[in-house]
């Protein structure tokens, strides 16, 4: 009530002054009616006080919140303005809570990922250190371990960029799908050789996509690493580009161990390694999760089909650019 009085005393005083002014003017014009005029002033003042009291009780919960008597907005005020303010403030508070929750989850996810990543990066460093100590630096082994370090660093950097906001590092442009894919394949050349897996690219030079080159390279890198890692020695990883209803489509097919049906719906979840991750090791469970996140930002429909013992097909359907 005190807070309401502090915020409305000027309005009350103004209305009372106007009312008193009118009474005085009428009294000077009709001096014989002073008693009636004083009575009218008293009745008017009581009505004025009654109006202010009614207004307060309709908004009392809102004023209790503003004055600090209540720490929460309680629904119950009948005043339309109070209800609108209640809904607006609650909406803003909910948005703020969601943002804080999202930020907290992102930080927790990053900490968990960095712990896993740091643990995995110890292995190639230890191998290189041991080879150096024993003077047995084999070029093939050095390339293998440096490739693991490079892939791990790239994954960590892009995970940090994605959490920081992909929109800050995002440029859409027309890209030749064949050139982007060939670049990605060449970057994994040593990895292909180490696993005795062969790439096969079947993409027309005319096939164009609208995307961000750097992020698309990251998507292809993660998919190729998985395809090569789980492929059988001597098999192929085939990358085929087609177009359907104006939308460019890239299919990446390997002939590896495949993904168990129980794992397939969960491979896009963060930190999910599944049966293959436990068998082959060295999996953070973040590669396909980040691919899914980046694909969504790029407007790419990312799908995975797999059969155990036969292989896996990854399909990337790009937005219709109207150029095909």
């Amino acid at each position: 009530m005190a807070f309401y009085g502090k915020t409305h005393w000027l309005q009350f005083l103004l209305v009372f002054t106007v009312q008193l002014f009118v009474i005085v003017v009428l009294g000077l014009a009709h001096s014989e009616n002073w008693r009636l005029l004083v009575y009218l002033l008293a009745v008017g003042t009581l009505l004025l006080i009654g109006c202010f009291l009614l207004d307060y009780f309709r908004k009392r919960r809102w004023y209790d919140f503003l004055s600090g008597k209540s720490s929460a907005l309680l629904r119950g005020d009948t005043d339309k303005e109070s209800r609108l303010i209640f809904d607006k403030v609650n909406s803003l508070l909910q948005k703020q809570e969601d943002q804080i929750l999202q930020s907290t989850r992102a930080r927790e996810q990053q900490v968990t990922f960095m712990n896993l990543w740091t643990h995995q990066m110890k292995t190639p460093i230890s191998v290189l250190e041991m080879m150096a100590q024993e003077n047995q630096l084999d070029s093939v082994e050095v390339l293998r371990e440096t490739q693991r370090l490079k892939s791990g660093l790239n994954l960590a950097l892009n995970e940090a960029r994605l959490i920081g906001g992909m929109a800050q590092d995002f440029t859409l442009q027309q890209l030749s799908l064949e050139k982007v894919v060939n670049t990605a394949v060449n970057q994994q050349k040593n990895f292909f050789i180490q696993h005795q897996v062969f790439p096969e690219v079947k993409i027309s030079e005319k096939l164009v996509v609208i995307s961000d080159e750097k992020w698309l390279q990251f998507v292809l890198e993660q998919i190729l690493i998985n395809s090569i890692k789980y492929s059988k020695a001597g098999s192929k990883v085939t990358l085929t580009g087609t177009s359907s209803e104006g939308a460019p489509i890239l299919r990446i097919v390997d002939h590896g161990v495949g993904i168990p049906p129980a794992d397939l719906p969960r491979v896009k979840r963060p930190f999910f390694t599944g049966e293959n991750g436990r068998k082959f090791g060295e999996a953070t469970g973040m590669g396909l999760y980040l691919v899914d996140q980046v694909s969504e930002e790029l407007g790419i429909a990312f799908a995975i089909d797999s059969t155990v013992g036969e292989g896996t097909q990854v399909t990337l359907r790009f937005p219709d650019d109207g150029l095909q």
Side-chain angles (χ1 to χ4, degrees):
M1 187 66 177
F3 183 81
Y4 183 85
K6 288 178 182 178
T7 57
H8 288 76
W9 69 269
L10 188 59
Q11 298 174 29
F12 180 85
L13 183 62
L14 181 62
V15 175
F16 179 78
T17 302
V18 170
Q19 184 176 267
L20 181 61
F21 176 76
V22 172
I23 294 296
V24 169
V25 170
L26 289 174
L28 292 174
H30 306 280
S31 55
E32 68 278 3
N33 293 326
W34 274 109
R35 288 185 178 180
L36 177 62
L37 293 175
V38 170
Y39 173 76
L40 291 175
L41 177 61
V43 171
T45 302
L46 289 174
L47 289 174
L48 179 61
I49 293 172
C51 288
F52 274 92
L53 286 174
L54 178 63
D55 183 57
Y56 166 72
F57 281 109
R58 291 177 67 191
K59 302 178 181 179
R60 64 188 181 280
R61 290 181 176 83
W62 170 243
Y63 285 104
D64 285 344
F65 173 76
L66 292 179
S67 63
K69 289 182 180 179
S70 172
S71 59
L73 283 170
L74 301 175
R75 188 178 292 277
D77 284 353
T78 57
D79 181 73
K80 183 179 179 181
E81 182 183 352
S82 293
R83 291 200 302 270
L84 289 173
I85 294 172
F86 171 85
D87 293 338
K88 184 65 176 177
V89 172
N90 260 10
S91 175
L92 291 173
L93 288 174
Q94 187 61 51
K95 285 181 181 178
Q96 189 178 38
E97 287 177 6
D98 291 342
Q99 289 173 355
I100 292 172
L101 183 61
Q102 186 177 0
S103 178
T104 302
R105 285 177 177 171
R107 283 197 300 272
E108 290 174 352
Q109 179 177 294
Q110 191 170 29
V111 169
T112 304
F113 169 72
M114 290 308 296
N115 288 336
L116 287 170
W117 178 83
T118 304
H119 178 73
Q120 286 200 354
M121 290 302 99
K122 287 179 181 179
T123 304
I125 292 172
S126 298
V127 171
L128 290 171
E129 185 179 21
M130 185 177 65
M131 286 192 296
Q133 289 172 350
E134 296 178 359
N135 292 322
Q136 295 180 351
L137 288 173
D138 180 82
S139 60
V140 175
E141 286 300 319
V142 169
L143 283 173
R144 185 195 302 272
E145 300 309 323
T146 52
Q147 177 70 32
R148 287 168 65 184
L149 284 169
K150 215 157 94 178
S151 298
L153 284 169
N154 195 30
L155 183 66
L157 285 171
N158 282 290
E159 194 266 348
R161 285 175 184 155
L162 194 59
I163 287 178
M166 190 173 163
Q168 300 174 7
D169 188 23
F170 187 85
T171 305
L172 292 177
Q173 55 185 319
Q174 289 185 21
L175 301 170
S176 167
L177 186 59
E178 184 202 28
K179 289 182 179 179
V180 175
V181 168
N182 281 327
T183 300
V185 169
N186 286 332
Q187 287 176 348
Q188 301 302 319
K189 181 172 61 177
N190 291 330
F191 204 45
F192 274 107
I193 294 170
Q194 290 161 15
H195 286 76
Q196 299 177 27
V197 177
F198 305 96
E200 184 179 24
V201 179
K202 299 178 180 179
I203 303 174
S204 168
E205 295 179 358
K206 297 179 181 180
L207 196 57
V208 176
V209 297
I210 303 294
S211 193
D212 178 274
E213 185 172 9
K214 182 169 61 177
W215 284 108
L216 182 55
Q217 286 285 356
F218 170 73
V219 167
L220 295 175
E221 175 191 351
Q222 295 305 311
I223 295 172
L224 284 174
I225 287 173
N226 277 350
S227 295
I228 298 166
K229 186 192 300 184
Y230 300 117
S231 285
K232 300 170 185 175
S235 65
K236 290 182 179 180
V237 172
T238 306
L239 300 96
T240 307
T242 58
S243 180
S244 175
E245 299 178 352
I249 298 173
L250 175 64
R251 292 184 176 88
I252 304 171
V253 180
D254 67 61
H255 302 282
V257 296
I259 303 170
D263 290 350
L264 196 56
R266 298 183 287 171
V267 292
K268 297 178 183 179
R269 295 180 186 177
F271 308 114
F272 180 78
T273 55
E275 185 178 321
N276 289 337
R278 290 188 291 273
K279 282 181 180 178
F280 292 84
E282 300 180 14
T284 61
M286 289 295 285
L288 292 179
Y289 164 73
L290 293 178
V291 167
D292 185 52
Q293 296 295 300
V294 173
S295 296
E296 186 177 346
E297 292 289 337
L298 294 174
I300 299 172
F302 168 49
I304 303 175
D305 295 302
S306 188
T307 303
V308 174
E310 295 183 13
T312 301
Q313 175 178 283
V314 175
T315 304
L316 300 176
R317 185 184 180 93
F318 295 84
D320 182 1
D321 53 24
L323 300 174
Q324 310 307 324

